Amino acid sequence: QFREDGFLVLEHFFTPEECDRMRNQIQRIVAEMEVPPHCRTEFSTKEDEQLQAQGSSDYFLTSGDKIRFFFEKGVLDERGNFLIPKEKSVSKIGHALHAYDPVFKQITHSSKVQELGRKLGLERPVVVQSMYIFKALENPNARCLVAVTPHQDATFLHTEPLGRILGFWIALEDATQENGCLWFIPGSHTSGITRRMVRAASGSSTCVEFVGSEQAYDDSQFIPLPISKGGLILIHGEVVHKSEQNSSESSRHVFTFHVMEAKDTSWSKENWLQPTPELPFPSLYT
């Protein structure tokens, strides 16, 4: 099913207790969050805003081996102070929770995740990044109705050959059409990619740039994938997916991480995310 569609829904993969442990841990992390004003980067998924907010920000580019905070739009004043409680201001936390936080490390390398990797035939899987995504709708000041535009993960995480990136997307609350579940185009993982986000040449006004262009997708081809708390969606690196705005009264917390089959694979030196001496990509199998 996964090879045919490019995604797979596995309901109740994690227990409610495991989900609550992750949510409680992220509350602790946010409570202790101290973000220097010059590092207060707003996260955006629109291409030009991505280039501006993330590309001009070393904070984003060097977040691959750290736990860093990215904020919703409209939650900071021009001096970088929070307009709302900070726990309601965060869009996502990334990109090395899997390496540096004990709770998320345990989930990422849990025996059932490793077993799933083996069932999928992964021989030398390594974890390249992780994120906690809030998709909250809890304050009037933040323009946090953010929709995530149609995209392919391999645009941002490029390998030679393609087909070596796999996303694990864990619903920590029920994900519904109202609060922004994922939508997919089944079978869209078979025709490659048309766009890449790469590191820009030194001296450019942004740190990253897009090469190629995103295809226009037919909205009617997307199917929604609502999933219950504890469910896991496997995401092929080239399958086209998106999420709509959260129009509900409830948040949609998710923990997600990406794995690369490292056997006979090269990681693009042009990717924004690079392994570092401090954090080479850790093996999924422990």
Side-chain angles (χ1 to χ4, degrees), residues 6-51:
F7 58 86
L8 184 67
V9 176
L10 298 170
E11 286 279 13
H12 310 299
F13 191 84
F14 291 95
T15 65
E17 293 72 29
E18 287 172 314
C19 294
D20 293 343
R21 202 181 316 144
M22 287 187 267
R23 291 199 63 187
N24 292 336
Q25 185 70 353
I26 219 74
Q27 282 181 328
R28 281 195 284 274
I29 289 171
V30 171
E32 294 166 9
M33 168 177 79
E34 286 301 330
V35 187
H38 72 276
C39 290
R40 289 180 177 169
T41 300
E42 291 184 349
F43 179 68
S44 171
T45 61
K46 293 204 174 66
E47 181 168 324
D48 51 344
E49 291 179 8
Q50 269 177 338
L51 294 176

Side-chain angles (χ1 to χ4, degrees), residues 42 72-76 82-85 88 137-145:
E42 291 184 349
E72 295 285 8
K73 296 165 77 173
V75 301
L76 303 167
F82 290 107
L83 296 166
I84 58 168
K88 294 182 178 179
L137 185 64
E138 298 173 357
N139 63 80
N141 290 339
R143 300 197 296 278
C144 60
L145 288 158

Side-chain angles (χ1 to χ4, degrees), residues 17 23 50 60 64 78-79 94 134 147 154 171 177 181 193 203 221 231 252 256 259 277:
E17 293 72 29
R23 291 199 63 187
Q50 269 177 338
F60 168 73
E78 60 279 2
R79 292 187 301 283
F134 291 81
Q177 285 195 48
C181 71
I193 59 171
Q221 291 186 296
R252 191 222 64 184
T256 180
V259 164

Side-chain angles (χ1 to χ4, degrees), residues 12-285:
H12 310 299
F13 191 84
F14 291 95
T15 65
E17 293 72 29
E18 287 172 314
C19 294
D20 293 343
R21 202 181 316 144
M22 287 187 267
R23 291 199 63 187
N24 292 336
Q25 185 70 353
I26 219 74
Q27 282 181 328
R28 281 195 284 274
I29 289 171
V30 171
E32 294 166 9
M33 168 177 79
E34 286 301 330
V35 187
H38 72 276
C39 290
R40 289 180 177 169
T41 300
E42 291 184 349
F43 179 68
S44 171
T45 61
K46 293 204 174 66
E47 181 168 324
D48 51 344
E49 291 179 8
Q50 269 177 338
L51 294 176
Q52 259 179 340
Q54 295 170 357
S56 59
S57 172
D58 204 41
Y59 187 70
F60 168 73
L61 219 52
T62 57
S63 63
D65 62 352
K66 299 174 187 70
I67 296 175
R68 288 194 163 163
F69 303 91
F70 301 88
F71 302 101
E72 295 285 8
K73 296 165 77 173
V75 301
L76 303 167
D77 66 18
E78 60 279 2
R79 292 187 301 283
N81 298 314
F82 290 107
L83 296 166
I84 58 168
K86 64 180 182 180
E87 67 273 9
K88 294 182 178 179
S89 66
V90 185
S91 166
K92 71 168 191 166
I93 298 175
H95 289 89
L97 285 162
H98 63 279
Y100 295 132
D101 180 88
V103 171
F104 292 99
K105 186 175 190 174
Q106 191 279 321
I107 291 287
T108 303
H109 297 279
S110 59
S111 56
K112 50 194 169 188
V113 168
Q114 295 190 38
E115 184 191 349
L116 184 55
R118 291 190 172 95
K119 281 182 177 170
L120 289 163
L122 300 177
E123 293 185 53
R124 280 183 45 216
V126 295
V127 187
V128 298
Q129 70 151 359
S130 55
M131 294 182 286
Y132 191 102
I133 303 168
F134 291 81
K135 197 111 177 162
L137 185 64
E138 298 173 357
N139 63 80
N141 290 339
R143 300 197 296 278
C144 60
L145 288 158
V146 173
V148 177
T149 51
H151 68 283
Q152 298 163 290
D153 293 344
T155 286
F156 307 94
L157 308 171
H158 192 266
T159 60
E160 295 281 349
L162 283 172
R164 301 304 171 90
I165 289 292
L166 176 64
F168 290 72
W169 192 95
I170 306 159
L172 305 185
E173 305 175 275
D174 291 350
T176 65
Q177 285 195 48
E178 291 69 42
N179 74 357
C181 71
L182 295 181
W183 295 64
F184 287 82
I185 300 180
S188 56
H189 59 301
T190 56
S191 43
I193 59 171
T194 58
R195 185 177 74 132
R196 286 183 59 192
M197 186 171 92
V198 299
R199 290 183 169 235
S202 59
S204 304
S205 58
T206 59
C207 295
V208 291
E209 61 190 9
F210 283 96
V211 177
S213 57
E214 193 62 85
Q215 297 177 53
Y217 299 109
D218 177 356
D219 260 359
S220 68
Q221 291 186 296
F222 283 93
I223 62 163
L225 286 194
I227 190 167
S228 324
K229 176 178 177 174
L232 168 69
I233 302 179
L234 285 175
I235 304 174
H236 189 286
E238 283 112 85
V239 73
V240 178
H241 58 291
K242 66 175 182 175
S243 70
E244 298 294 350
Q245 297 177 340
N246 183 348
S247 58
S248 75
E249 294 303 309
S250 56
S251 54
R252 191 222 64 184
H253 287 215
V254 165
F255 176 57
T256 180
F257 58 93
H258 284 90
V259 164
M260 173 180 73
E261 169 60 273
K263 186 184 181 204
D264 302 326
T265 307
S266 63
W267 178 257
S268 174
K269 292 272 187 284
E270 295 184 308
N271 285 338
W272 71 268
L273 175 79
Q274 293 296 326
T276 63
E278 295 74 32
L279 184 64
F281 294 150
S283 172
L284 180 69
Y285 300 149

